[in-house]
Structures are given as structure tokens and as C-alpha cells.
Amino acid sequence: MPLTLDFMLLIRLFLEFCRVGLFSVGGGLATIPFLTDLGERTGWFTSGQLADMIAISESTPGPMGVNMATYVGFHTAGVVGGIVATLGLVSSSIVIIIIIAGFLEKFRQSKAVDAVFYGLRAASVALITAALLQVAKIALMFHETAPGSVVLKYELFYWPAIILAVVIFVLVKFTPLKKLHPICFIGLSALVGVILQL
């Protein structure tokens, strides 16, 4: 019986990430709204764990969406789960690329194809904007309050994280430090987070 349950879990991992890969037009950031929905529906990870996944995926080599699929799969079903989730994410893209490559020469000058890609650009912007808002909510706001407690509006925000974000933004945009490699800012933010336990 446990083998059947594990097998069913692997099938679900593959299908869920196949769906994420199929509809997340625009790259890794576009997967975040789908992963948020996935976490809420399956209970495989919390919003806090999603924030950790985003931070780790952005800080490690490789495409963000693939890193996040591997992380969720591993967290849910071990090494095999990581492999299955990753294959699920990339399989739909591979199939679509193979299909498009076969017809690309024929439809390269098609106005209908141009119109489809024009619409996909708008969808990408919308998905990335939704991802930005979700990441900001996860990183900059409190999520847990005691039942029945009264929370003032300013208490909803996690001020140390907001101050750190503003300081990093100012350093990157308006000081000579903007010439530093982004890895320096990632490392500095991680160090500050460890020190302040953000």
C-alpha cells in the first residue's frame, strides 16, 4: 500500500509541475503565482517555505523555475520526487518547442503568430507583476497573528525587512556601490538576515 501511495504522489508531482511549466509564460518569476496556488491546494509547502525557495533558487546556479521544482519535489518525496518534479516542469516546454520548431519556418511571417506572441508578452508582464506582489507580501508582511487579537495597520509590516530592502535599493541605484556584482548584495543581505534573524 505505501508503494502505491508513493507512486500516486510521484504522478501528482509530475502532473502538477507539468501544468506549472505549461502555463508559466515568462520564465522563473512567472512560476511563483502557480507555486503559491500549488502550496495552498496541496499543503506541500507554506508561504514561508516558498519565500525560502525563492531566495535559494535566486541565489544558486540554474533556472529559477527548475530549482524551485527540484526543491519542492525533494521536500515532498525525496531525491526521486525532485527528479520527477523537475522532469514535469521541463517536459511541457520541450514538447512545445519541438512542435513549434517543426512549423517555425512555415509560420514565421504569419500575422496570427505575431498576434499570439504579442498577447503572450502581456501575459508574461501580468504573471511577473503578480509574482512581485506575492514575494513582497511574503517578505515584508507578518502572516500569523493570535486569534481574536487586534492588530494595528503598522504592525502588519515587518519593518526590519522593509528597511533592509530600501537600503539595498538605495545602495544599488544611487551610490558608487552600484558597480559591485549582485552576488555581493545577495551575500550582504544574507549576512544581515542572519545577524538580525529576519
Side-chain angles (χ1 to χ4, degrees), residues 156-170:
L156 291 174
F157 298 98
Y158 196 49
W159 292 106
I162 293 172
I163 292 168
L164 178 60
V166 170
V167 167
I168 293 293
F169 178 78
V170 170

PDB file of all heavy atoms in Angstrom, residues 156-170:
ATOM      1  N   LEU A 156       1.260  45.219  10.783  1.00  0.00           N
ATOM      2  CA  LEU A 156       1.183  44.187   9.752  1.00  0.00           C
ATOM      3  C   LEU A 156       2.486  44.054   8.973  1.00  0.00           C
ATOM      4  O   LEU A 156       2.743  43.030   8.360  1.00  0.00           O
ATOM      5  CB  LEU A 156       0.044  44.503   8.773  1.00  0.00           C
ATOM      6  CG  LEU A 156      -1.373  44.393   9.323  1.00  0.00           C
ATOM      7  CD1 LEU A 156      -2.371  44.887   8.285  1.00  0.00           C
ATOM      8  CD2 LEU A 156      -1.687  42.960   9.706  1.00  0.00           C
ATOM      9  N   PHE A 157       3.290  45.106   8.997  1.00  0.00           N
ATOM     10  CA  PHE A 157       4.509  45.127   8.192  1.00  0.00           C
ATOM     11  C   PHE A 157       5.723  44.728   9.014  1.00  0.00           C
ATOM     12  O   PHE A 157       5.825  45.038  10.195  1.00  0.00           O
ATOM     13  CB  PHE A 157       4.727  46.519   7.587  1.00  0.00           C
ATOM     14  CG  PHE A 157       3.617  46.929   6.661  1.00  0.00           C
ATOM     15  CD1 PHE A 157       2.597  47.744   7.107  1.00  0.00           C
ATOM     16  CD2 PHE A 157       3.584  46.482   5.362  1.00  0.00           C
ATOM     17  CE1 PHE A 157       1.558  48.109   6.260  1.00  0.00           C
ATOM     18  CE2 PHE A 157       2.562  46.841   4.516  1.00  0.00           C
ATOM     19  CZ  PHE A 157       1.541  47.656   4.966  1.00  0.00           C
ATOM     20  N   TYR A 158       6.643  44.015   8.367  1.00  0.00           N
ATOM     21  CA  TYR A 158       7.869  43.591   9.017  1.00  0.00           C
ATOM     22  C   TYR A 158       8.940  44.628   8.714  1.00  0.00           C
ATOM     23  O   TYR A 158       9.634  44.570   7.700  1.00  0.00           O
ATOM     24  CB  TYR A 158       8.256  42.201   8.503  1.00  0.00           C
ATOM     25  CG  TYR A 158       9.268  41.522   9.382  1.00  0.00           C
ATOM     26  CD1 TYR A 158       9.091  41.459  10.760  1.00  0.00           C
ATOM     27  CD2 TYR A 158      10.403  40.941   8.846  1.00  0.00           C
ATOM     28  CE1 TYR A 158      10.006  40.845  11.568  1.00  0.00           C
ATOM     29  CE2 TYR A 158      11.320  40.315   9.644  1.00  0.00           C
ATOM     30  CZ  TYR A 158      11.121  40.268  11.016  1.00  0.00           C
ATOM     31  OH  TYR A 158      12.043  39.661  11.823  1.00  0.00           O
ATOM     32  N   TRP A 159       9.041  45.625   9.591  1.00  0.00           N
ATOM     33  CA  TRP A 159       9.841  46.812   9.327  1.00  0.00           C
ATOM     34  C   TRP A 159      11.325  46.555   9.110  1.00  0.00           C
ATOM     35  O   TRP A 159      11.938  47.196   8.248  1.00  0.00           O
ATOM     36  CB  TRP A 159       9.605  47.858  10.426  1.00  0.00           C
ATOM     37  CG  TRP A 159       8.208  48.388  10.353  1.00  0.00           C
ATOM     38  CD1 TRP A 159       7.176  48.109  11.191  1.00  0.00           C
ATOM     39  CD2 TRP A 159       7.666  49.238   9.350  1.00  0.00           C
ATOM     40  NE1 TRP A 159       6.023  48.734  10.773  1.00  0.00           N
ATOM     41  CE2 TRP A 159       6.294  49.439   9.644  1.00  0.00           C
ATOM     42  CE3 TRP A 159       8.198  49.843   8.208  1.00  0.00           C
ATOM     43  CZ2 TRP A 159       5.468  50.215   8.852  1.00  0.00           C
ATOM     44  CZ3 TRP A 159       7.373  50.630   7.426  1.00  0.00           C
ATOM     45  CH2 TRP A 159       6.022  50.807   7.750  1.00  0.00           C
ATOM     46  N   PRO A 160      11.970  45.628   9.847  1.00  0.00           N
ATOM     47  CA  PRO A 160      13.402  45.390   9.548  1.00  0.00           C
ATOM     48  C   PRO A 160      13.634  44.956   8.095  1.00  0.00           C
ATOM     49  O   PRO A 160      14.595  45.402   7.461  1.00  0.00           O
ATOM     50  CB  PRO A 160      13.778  44.265  10.530  1.00  0.00           C
ATOM     51  CG  PRO A 160      12.821  44.426  11.662  1.00  0.00           C
ATOM     52  CD  PRO A 160      11.536  44.881  11.041  1.00  0.00           C
ATOM     53  N   ALA A 161      12.747  44.106   7.564  1.00  0.00           N
ATOM     54  CA  ALA A 161      12.904  43.661   6.168  1.00  0.00           C
ATOM     55  C   ALA A 161      12.658  44.804   5.199  1.00  0.00           C
ATOM     56  O   ALA A 161      13.343  44.929   4.178  1.00  0.00           O
ATOM     57  CB  ALA A 161      11.942  42.509   5.883  1.00  0.00           C
ATOM     58  N   ILE A 162      11.683  45.656   5.498  1.00  0.00           N
ATOM     59  CA  ILE A 162      11.396  46.808   4.630  1.00  0.00           C
ATOM     60  C   ILE A 162      12.583  47.766   4.620  1.00  0.00           C
ATOM     61  O   ILE A 162      13.006  48.243   3.554  1.00  0.00           O
ATOM     62  CB  ILE A 162      10.110  47.519   5.090  1.00  0.00           C
ATOM     63  CG1 ILE A 162       8.898  46.606   4.851  1.00  0.00           C
ATOM     64  CG2 ILE A 162       9.931  48.855   4.375  1.00  0.00           C
ATOM     65  CD1 ILE A 162       7.603  47.124   5.430  1.00  0.00           C
ATOM     66  N   ILE A 163      13.139  48.040   5.795  1.00  0.00           N
ATOM     67  CA  ILE A 163      14.296  48.945   5.880  1.00  0.00           C
ATOM     68  C   ILE A 163      15.480  48.363   5.111  1.00  0.00           C
ATOM     69  O   ILE A 163      16.169  49.076   4.363  1.00  0.00           O
ATOM     70  CB  ILE A 163      14.655  49.216   7.355  1.00  0.00           C
ATOM     71  CG1 ILE A 163      13.543  50.046   8.017  1.00  0.00           C
ATOM     72  CG2 ILE A 163      16.000  49.919   7.476  1.00  0.00           C
ATOM     73  CD1 ILE A 163      13.642  50.139   9.521  1.00  0.00           C
ATOM     74  N   LEU A 164      15.713  47.046   5.259  1.00  0.00           N
ATOM     75  CA  LEU A 164      16.808  46.401   4.526  1.00  0.00           C
ATOM     76  C   LEU A 164      16.595  46.506   3.018  1.00  0.00           C
ATOM     77  O   LEU A 164      17.524  46.817   2.266  1.00  0.00           O
ATOM     78  CB  LEU A 164      16.926  44.930   4.937  1.00  0.00           C
ATOM     79  CG  LEU A 164      17.990  44.111   4.216  1.00  0.00           C
ATOM     80  CD1 LEU A 164      19.382  44.686   4.446  1.00  0.00           C
ATOM     81  CD2 LEU A 164      17.929  42.653   4.656  1.00  0.00           C
ATOM     82  N   ALA A 165      15.358  46.298   2.566  1.00  0.00           N
ATOM     83  CA  ALA A 165      15.057  46.396   1.130  1.00  0.00           C
ATOM     84  C   ALA A 165      15.310  47.806   0.612  1.00  0.00           C
ATOM     85  O   ALA A 165      15.882  47.989  -0.471  1.00  0.00           O
ATOM     86  CB  ALA A 165      13.607  45.985   0.878  1.00  0.00           C
ATOM     87  N   VAL A 166      14.909  48.818   1.377  1.00  0.00           N
ATOM     88  CA  VAL A 166      15.119  50.210   0.964  1.00  0.00           C
ATOM     89  C   VAL A 166      16.612  50.540   0.920  1.00  0.00           C
ATOM     90  O   VAL A 166      17.096  51.173  -0.028  1.00  0.00           O
ATOM     91  CB  VAL A 166      14.369  51.179   1.918  1.00  0.00           C
ATOM     92  CG1 VAL A 166      14.773  52.626   1.659  1.00  0.00           C
ATOM     93  CG2 VAL A 166      12.861  51.012   1.767  1.00  0.00           C
ATOM     94  N   VAL A 167      17.360  50.095   1.937  1.00  0.00           N
ATOM     95  CA  VAL A 167      18.801  50.366   1.980  1.00  0.00           C
ATOM     96  C   VAL A 167      19.500  49.716   0.771  1.00  0.00           C
ATOM     97  O   VAL A 167      20.319  50.360   0.098  1.00  0.00           O
ATOM     98  CB  VAL A 167      19.412  49.856   3.308  1.00  0.00           C
ATOM     99  CG1 VAL A 167      20.934  49.838   3.239  1.00  0.00           C
ATOM    100  CG2 VAL A 167      18.936  50.717   4.464  1.00  0.00           C
ATOM    101  N   ILE A 168      19.163  48.461   0.487  1.00  0.00           N
ATOM    102  CA  ILE A 168      19.771  47.772  -0.665  1.00  0.00           C
ATOM    103  C   ILE A 168      19.413  48.496  -1.960  1.00  0.00           C
ATOM    104  O   ILE A 168      20.261  48.690  -2.839  1.00  0.00           O
ATOM    105  CB  ILE A 168      19.321  46.297  -0.721  1.00  0.00           C
ATOM    106  CG1 ILE A 168      19.871  45.522   0.469  1.00  0.00           C
ATOM    107  CG2 ILE A 168      19.755  45.643  -2.027  1.00  0.00           C
ATOM    108  CD1 ILE A 168      21.364  45.342   0.480  1.00  0.00           C
ATOM    109  N   PHE A 169      18.152  48.920  -2.103  1.00  0.00           N
ATOM    110  CA  PHE A 169      17.722  49.632  -3.311  1.00  0.00           C
ATOM    111  C   PHE A 169      18.531  50.918  -3.487  1.00  0.00           C
ATOM    112  O   PHE A 169      19.011  51.220  -4.583  1.00  0.00           O
ATOM    113  CB  PHE A 169      16.230  49.953  -3.239  1.00  0.00           C
ATOM    114  CG  PHE A 169      15.730  50.733  -4.412  1.00  0.00           C
ATOM    115  CD1 PHE A 169      15.481  50.115  -5.625  1.00  0.00           C
ATOM    116  CD2 PHE A 169      15.523  52.109  -4.320  1.00  0.00           C
ATOM    117  CE1 PHE A 169      15.033  50.835  -6.721  1.00  0.00           C
ATOM    118  CE2 PHE A 169      15.073  52.846  -5.401  1.00  0.00           C
ATOM    119  CZ  PHE A 169      14.824  52.201  -6.606  1.00  0.00           C
ATOM    120  N   VAL A 170      18.687  51.690  -2.409  1.00  0.00           N
ATOM    121  CA  VAL A 170      19.440  52.953  -2.485  1.00  0.00           C
ATOM    122  C   VAL A 170      20.903  52.677  -2.839  1.00  0.00           C
ATOM    123  O   VAL A 170      21.492  53.361  -3.687  1.00  0.00           O
ATOM    124  CB  VAL A 170      19.331  53.727  -1.152  1.00  0.00           C
ATOM    125  CG1 VAL A 170      20.300  54.903  -1.125  1.00  0.00           C
ATOM    126  CG2 VAL A 170      17.901  54.220  -0.945  1.00  0.00           C
TER     127      VAL A 170
END
